[in-house]
Amino acid sequence: RHYDKEKYKSLPEVLTNSPIPRVGIDLMYGIPGVSVEDFYLDLNTFLSINLPHLSLYSLTLEKGTQYSRNVKDSKKAPPKEEEQIKILSELPSFLASYGYEWYEVSNYSKPGL
């Protein structure tokens, strides 16, 4: 298990107080068991601390990975493509309202940073 609820809850404070001047985060969406609403709750947590850079990735099946084999063998659920499409289409305007510019498929930044 990789998720530690207490460490995750402290991330906004850790990032805000980081000595690193340009901190960013990576978030993934389309994960089975994680709703669109859950993704936006996480994203809003990090938007509230005004990070200079965000990388927002959709979960993909990469040939040759254990996850891909598990999906093929019906041991794991595949990525939620409908939710991925919804989020991907919403993100540019949603993040623009927070002052972020979309510069690559998965990347957004504040101008000048």
Side-chain angles (χ1 to χ4, degrees):
R1 184 175 164 143
H2 301 285
Y3 177 71
D4 182 325
K5 185 176 183 177
E6 291 307 311
K7 284 184 180 179
Y8 190 75
K9 281 178 27 180
S10 70
L11 271 176
E13 182 180 346
V14 168
L15 294 173
T16 301
N17 295 313
S18 173
I20 301 169
R22 293 187 185 147
V23 178
I25 59 158
D26 291 10
L27 286 180
M28 189 170 285
Y29 56 89
I31 300 169
V34 179
S35 69
V36 171
E37 293 77 20
D38 290 336
F39 169 76
Y40 278 107
L41 281 172
D42 285 345
L43 180 56
N44 283 322
T45 295
F46 295 105
L47 289 173
S48 72
I49 61 172
N50 201 32
L51 295 173
H53 186 268
L54 306 169
S55 292
L56 307 170
Y57 301 101
S58 62
L59 178 63
T60 58
L61 288 173
E62 296 292 332
K63 187 177 179 177
T65 64
Q66 187 62 49
Y67 177 59
S68 178
R69 288 188 291 275
N70 286 342
V71 169
K72 181 181 177 198
D73 295 340
S74 300
K75 294 178 182 177
K76 297 274 184 179
K80 296 179 173 183
E81 290 184 21
E82 300 81 24
E83 291 182 6
Q84 290 174 320
I85 292 166
K86 176 180 175 28
I87 292 170
L88 182 62
S89 65
E90 294 172 348
L91 283 175
S93 61
F94 178 75
L95 291 172
S97 71
Y98 286 87
Y100 288 88
E101 293 179 352
W102 187 22
Y103 70 92
E104 286 180 356
V105 172
S106 301
N107 295 292
Y108 299 82
S109 69
K110 294 281 184 159
L113 297 177

